[in-house]
Every structure is written in C-alpha cells, then in structure tokens.
Amino acid sequence: MRSSSYAVLPARALRAAVVLTLAAGAVTVAPAAQAGTPAAQAGAPVPAPAAKPYMGWTSWSMQSSKYPGLNPDGDYSYLTEANVLKQTDALAAKLKKYGYDHVNIDAGWWRDKSWKPGFDQYARQKADPDRFPSGMKAVADRIHAKGLKAGTYLPAGLEKEAYGDGKHPIWNAEGCTTADIVYGDLRTTNGWDSAYKLDFSRPCTQKYIDSQAQLIADWGYDFLKLDGVGPGSGKSGDQYDNVADVAAWHQAIAATGRPIHLELSWSLDIGRAADWKKYSNGWRIDTDVECYCNTLVSWENSVDDRWDDTPGWTRHAGPGGWNDLDALDVGNGEMDGLTKAERQSYATLWAIAKSPLYTGDDLTRLDSYGLSLLTNREVIAVDQGAAPPARPVTASDPQQVWAAKNPDGTYTVALFNLADAPAAVTADWSTLGFTGKAAVRDLWNHENLGTYKNKITQALPAHGSRLFTVTPQGSPLTATAYEAEAPANTLSGNASVADCSACSGDRKTGNLYAGGKLRFNDVVVGRAGTYWVKVAYVSGDARSVEVSANTGGPTRHTFPSTGDWGTVATVSVPVTLKAGSNTITFDSGTGYAPDIDRIDVPQSS
C-alpha cells in the first residue's frame, strides 16, 4: 500500500471510481428498466448486477497522472463534465460493441479544483458547478443516451466538511442531524481519515445512507464505487472497520428499487471476504494500479504485484461478485508507461482472473496495438465466460503457468515470464491433469498452433506472456498419492503433524520454519526423468520452500497464498527422480514454508 496523506494529496482520499451494484440475491423483483434504455424499449428483463465482470472506462487513471497535458489546471483537474462526455462518445464508438458499457466518474466530482467540497443542505455530496455545470443527473442522462451505464464514487463515512456544526438535517429523517449519525468523539475512518465514522447503533445513521443511495438512484446511476473501505485500504482495527457501512449501503440500494452495482475499494482484507461477497458485487484486492507518476502506470508500481496477490482471492469470485484488479491501462502506448509485452501480460492476467475490464486510458487516442488488446473477442470471452478464474498450476516463480478448466473440457492456459530477461516457459500437460497430445490455439493471435505432445514450451520476452486454449486428446493423468502425515515420512526440526479438516486424511505437516523439514520416503517411479509433482498445501500468505530429491541440490519455489490457513490449493513443481525408490524433501531453510497436505507423483515422467 502506498501511503498518502489526505491533507497533502486530497484526491487520494477519494481514490476509486464508485460503482453501485447490488449483491447477488439483493433484489428479488427486478425493477423496471429506466425509460429510454434499450431494455425498457424492448421490454427485456433487467439482468442481475455483476452476472459477469463489468467492462468500461474510469476517470481516475488520467486524473491521477502527471503525464504532460492531462491535468493542466492542477492535480486531478482532468475530471470535468466535458472530458467525461468525450470519453463516453469514444467508448460508444470504439468499444461498446465489444461489451464495454460503463462510464465511471471517480473521486472529485463534488470538489472544486482546489479540492474544496460541496454539499447540499442534507450533507450529501453536490456536483461542483465548474467541473459538472449540467449536474450529475444530466451527465448520467447523456451517458444513458449512448446506451451505456453511468457510475459514480463516494468515500466511506461522513466527510468531515459535511458535518458542519452537527446541525445539518438528514433528508427524509425528521429530527435527525449530522450529530446524530456519528460517534460523539468524532473518531475518523476510511483509508485517509477524511471522514467521521458512522455509528450504526443510532437509528438516524441508516437514514443518511438511505438518503445518499436515493439521490444517486434519482440521478440514474447504475454503479457506485465505495472507497477507503476497511479492514483494508491500508488500515485495520475497529475504527476502520466499515463492514457496517457496506451492509448499510447494500440495504439502502435495495430500498431504492434500482439495480445499482456496489464496488468496494481498495486493497481489502481477505479475512472479511465473506462480508464483501454478502453485501457487494466486487472488491479491490490490491492497492492502486496507478503509479502517480508521469505515465498512467508502471510495471513495478504496481502492475506486477497482481501475480502475487490474486491467487488467494480466486475462489471468492463468481457470478454476483468479482475480484477487482483495478484499471486496465494498455491502450495508450507511451502514456501507459509499459512495453508491448507488459501490456499484453497485464491484459492476459486481468482476463484469466475474470477481473472487471475497465480501462483508464484516453479512448480518443487509442493506438492500434492497444485497441487490438482491448477488443480481442477471444480474450474477452475468457473474462466473460462460464469457466472459473484461473489459478497458478506451477509455483509463483519468475516463470509460471496459470490455468482454468472450461465447461467444454478444454483449458485456458497462460504462460508468464515475469523475469527481467527473456526466458522459456513450459506448460506440461500433467499439471493440467492429462498426458499425451493436445491441440493448442493462440488466443491473442487467433491462430491454431497444431498438436503438441505432453507439453508446450515458448520463448518469452521479459515480462512476456502467451494465452492458449488447450484441447486434450490424450489420457487422464494417473498418479500415486503420498500423505504428508504418513508415519513413513521423516520430520526434522520444528516440523510436526497437525489436524486439518480441509486436507486429505484430515491431517497435514506444518511448523516448517527455521530449518524444519518434511521428507517423503520411498517415492517409487518406474523410470528416471523429470516429474511434475503436484503439491497440496495450506498457506495464508505466499511462502517459499526448498524442494529436492535424493541427494540432489534443492530448488527454491514460492507457493502462492491459499487465502487463509483453512484452505488447500495445489501447484506442481518439477522434480528429477531415478527409477525405483526416491526421497523428496521440503525444507523451510531459514524462513517459513507452507504447510504440506500431500503430494501426487505422476506414474510416468
């Protein structure tokens, strides 16, 4: 998390474009479509919010950048009605037919260019007349006229400036004032401490959220991004626990009768994933992707973080709520701040993770390569299709493979070289669960590559990737399982057996730290060779372990987080074995290793 001070950089206090969408099951009767929309004209049913990851455009990336010319009137000055409508027109003309249909207005729409806020008489945010002279409803109407959806943004809590003297009335709540909705000690909350914490034990407080939701609904917005939500957003502890706020927004949106998508931001605590899933339609799993520099993003700050941070969240994504990896800024070339290889890898991860695909680029000047990335229908289909999000099937090393099994029996397979130099990356079919031949299609290049036996190896540039559909033509993999808690194994150092209800055999070997070791004895294979050994493990954070066979030297591999200490995941690692009996050792070295549930050793190399 990049720290920021609300006093110094106030725009970051309102960092994410807000999207309001009801959580799955929040609306039992779909309200009528807004008059004038295609659904209303055709009498079509209104789709459930977040049935698929949403697609569109957000204003924040350009607002936050120091790229020359983007913010000529001071920091964050890009955000204006005129600029939003320019991007709306470009989205409708260039990207709408590919599924991009959201225009999300991010932080600052109620603040002037010196960041002074405006509120109505009921302590609700009011559009700045210079930024948005026509008002928020008129802008939403213009967006809808293009057949698109309108999104807006708010921070968690009651903004300090809205409190006033505590006597501002709450709309539609007789006798309630701003003093009646916050804690008496005026404790602050959200990721920037820019707001007073709402006290939901007081009956007036829900009324305030109801009033905000109703205002947004009356304006015709379809999406709200609620930002600075904790636990997360760089903060923890009771003061920054905004689960009650999120629940209140969920309730308030449902009461409006308008299907509004609720998106939460940023870098949320995975320990509260059940709450994010219950009350919202999407949640930012990481810090901002923007670099706050003279480009929109950079590889190191923080596009590349997503390969490490996404796997633990994967199982939480599905219809009604998705893991949000943040803006996809791959369309503007030099302004993006990335190489072509990095832009493709960025787009590849977002698609296979089934993240919302919303770009922060200037849509009026997409370059040809960027347009090809954003409009590749085969890649979009990966993001929008029925398969689950992909996960790493190999360790989180510089060269890694991610995959997901599709409903038709094919696999979506991505190869990544995250190293700073070119390298070869291999997808071995045994890591997918089969052996023999498979047909391979290159999705980025729309090309059938032919049939490959047992594996495919590709030479990739630094930070490069390939994305394939793999169609098995061989046989299911057969493997021999070896339990980590088996008495025949040898434990050293702190290593010990523990209960694990999610593990096979209800047991695992843990406490692998500071020299703790687990050695599997008598691992038998029929012939010598390199075997992709599948390791079932538990690890609440990403951890590394040294893997060796027999008397050979160890190779250190990083296992991605499984999300918590009660969930099992698998990755495969290459191990060179001899014919006959072998030992395979997992050594923590000087650090902490994941807990090991079992290994599955293929019966042939």
Side-chain angles (χ1 to χ4, degrees):
M1 170 61 212
R2 296 185 296 279
S3 62
S4 59
S5 166
Y6 182 77
V8 176
L9 293 176
R12 296 194 191 181
L14 308 168
R15 185 174 289 156
V18 178
V19 183
L20 289 175
T21 304
L22 288 177
V27 180
T28 54
V29 179
Q34 180 179 349
T37 65
Q41 294 166 358
V46 176
K52 299 177 181 179
Y54 81 89
M55 302 171 65
W57 175 84
T58 175
S59 66
W60 184 252
S61 293
M62 284 192 284
Q63 283 179 248
S64 67
S65 179
K66 298 188 182 301
Y67 187 80
L70 279 184
N71 290 281
D73 299 325
D75 289 347
Y76 316 107
S77 61
Y78 175 86
L79 182 62
T80 65
E81 177 180 319
N83 283 335
V84 168
L85 295 179
K86 285 179 185 177
Q87 298 301 323
T88 298
D89 292 344
L91 183 72
K94 299 179 181 181
L95 299 181
K96 178 183 173 184
K97 63 184 177 181
Y98 297 96
Y100 296 86
D101 62 357
H102 281 70
V103 176
N104 293 337
I105 300 168
D106 213 291
W109 58 266
W110 67 97
R111 292 178 177 266
D112 66 18
K113 290 179 181 177
S114 66
W115 213 248
K116 181 180 178 180
F119 302 93
D120 67 12
Q121 66 268 39
Y122 301 112
R124 300 177 298 186
Q125 286 81 355
K126 181 175 66 175
D128 178 69
D130 291 329
R131 287 185 189 267
F132 289 87
S134 302
M136 295 299 282
K137 184 180 187 305
V139 172
D141 289 345
R142 287 282 302 276
I143 293 170
H144 289 145
K146 293 287 185 177
L148 304 171
K149 296 180 180 180
T152 187
Y153 168 108
L154 288 172
L158 174 70
E159 289 200 275
K160 292 177 180 179
E161 301 94 334
Y163 179 80
D165 57 3
K167 296 180 181 179
H168 292 312
I170 306 302
W171 178 82
N172 199 32
E174 186 176 355
C176 293
T177 70
T178 48
D180 298 318
I181 66 175
V182 298
Y183 286 88
D185 59 3
L186 295 182
R187 67 192 67 172
T188 56
T189 195
N190 78 30
W192 314 272
D193 286 295
S194 66
Y196 296 129
K197 185 171 176 61
L198 296 170
D199 182 356
F200 287 95
S201 70
R202 310 179 76 176
C204 293
T205 310
Q206 180 67 50
K207 292 286 189 180
Y208 177 64
I209 300 298
D210 292 345
S211 75
Q212 287 185 300
Q214 190 60 58
L215 184 62
I216 292 168
D218 290 345
W219 287 343
Y221 282 82
D222 309 289
F223 176 99
L224 172 67
K225 180 180 178 180
L226 188 65
D227 203 9
V229 174
S233 298
K235 299 291 180 68
S236 60
D238 291 344
Q239 185 171 335
Y240 303 102
D241 186 334
N242 301 127
V243 172
D245 299 62
V246 176
W249 272 104
H250 172 83
Q251 177 180 322
I253 291 168
T256 70
R258 184 177 183 81
I260 297 173
H261 177 116
L262 179 59
E263 195 83 358
L264 306 179
S265 184
W266 85 93
S267 197
L268 291 164
D269 183 350
I270 196 170
R272 303 306 293 268
D275 292 312
W276 315 140
K277 292 164 68 175
K278 181 177 180 180
Y279 297 123
S280 77
N281 301 107
W283 38 86
R284 280 271 306 282
I285 69 167
D286 221 322
T287 187
D288 294 2
V289 76
E290 292 85 8
C291 63
Y292 300 98
C293 64
N294 61 357
T295 57
L296 299 188
V297 297
S298 68
W299 181 256
E300 295 81 10
N301 189 21
S302 56
V303 172
D304 64 344
D305 293 348
R306 270 62 179 175
W307 276 265
D308 292 332
D309 299 337
T310 299
W313 286 88
T314 300
R315 66 187 178 92
H316 295 298
W322 303 96
N323 297 321
D324 184 348
L325 272 60
D326 207 5
L328 179 62
D329 297 336
V330 297
N332 286 153
E334 178 185 349
M335 191 166 80
D336 293 328
L338 303 170
T339 67
K340 282 188 173 182
E342 289 167 348
R343 291 160 76 187
Q344 178 176 298
S345 295
Y346 187 173
T348 298
L349 180 64
W350 263 237
I352 65 172
K354 304 185 82 68
S355 171
L357 300 181
Y358 58 97
T359 181
D361 287 311
D362 184 347
L363 303 182
T364 69
R365 51 177 181 172
L366 295 174
D367 65 19
S368 59
Y369 183 68
L371 186 64
S372 74
L373 293 176
L374 292 171
T375 61
N376 185 307
R377 292 189 186 276
E378 291 188 74
V379 177
I380 291 171
V382 170
D383 180 81
Q384 299 285 294
R391 274 191 55 84
V393 294
T394 64
S396 294
D397 300 331
Q399 291 75 45
Q400 54 188 254
V401 179
W402 294 50
K405 189 172 185 178
N406 301 315
D408 63 0
T410 65
Y411 291 84
T412 297
V413 179
L415 281 60
F416 296 108
N417 173 30
L418 303 182
D420 295 335
V425 182
T426 296
D428 193 285
W429 302 156
S430 65
T431 66
L432 306 179
F434 69 92
T435 60
K437 295 181 179 180
V440 178
R441 179 170 178 79
D442 184 327
L443 300 186
W444 281 117
N445 294 310
H446 307 295
E447 181 182 5
N448 291 324
L449 302 184
T451 300
Y452 287 76
K453 185 177 181 180
N454 294 331
K455 62 184 178 182
I456 183 170
T457 298
Q458 298 284 286
L460 300 182
H463 309 160
S465 61
R466 299 295 293 273
L467 180 60
F468 302 132
T469 295
V470 174
T471 303
Q473 298 173 350
S475 305
L477 180 72
T478 55
T480 302
Y482 297 85
E483 294 289 344
E485 71 275 13
N489 296 339
T490 301
L491 306 185
S492 305
N494 299 297
S496 62
V497 173
D499 292 337
C500 173
S501 60
C503 296
S504 61
D506 296 324
R507 307 273 274 172
K508 66 180 180 179
T509 293
N511 287 327
L512 295 171
Y513 67 93
K517 298 180 185 180
L518 163 64
R519 189 177 73 204
F520 290 85
N521 296 313
D522 199 23
V523 175
V524 177
V525 295
R527 61 182 180 183
T530 298
Y531 291 74
W532 284 88
V533 175
K534 181 177 287 187
V535 184
Y537 68 99
V538 180
S539 191
D541 49 26
R543 295 190 173 189
S544 297
V545 64
E546 295 178 354
V547 182
S548 61
N550 303 314
T551 59
T555 301
R556 194 161 192 83
H557 297 285
T558 300
F559 289 13
S561 170
T562 62
D564 55 48
W565 288 97
T567 299
V568 177
T570 62
V571 293
S572 295
V573 295
V575 181
T576 300
L577 302 177
K578 63 183 181 180
S581 180
N582 297 263
T583 62
I584 299 177
T585 301
F586 292 81
D587 185 347
S588 63
T590 59
Y592 288 80
D595 296 347
I596 307 298
D597 172 16
R598 62 185 272 177
I599 60 173
D600 291 279
V601 181
Q603 292 187 1
S604 61
S605 60

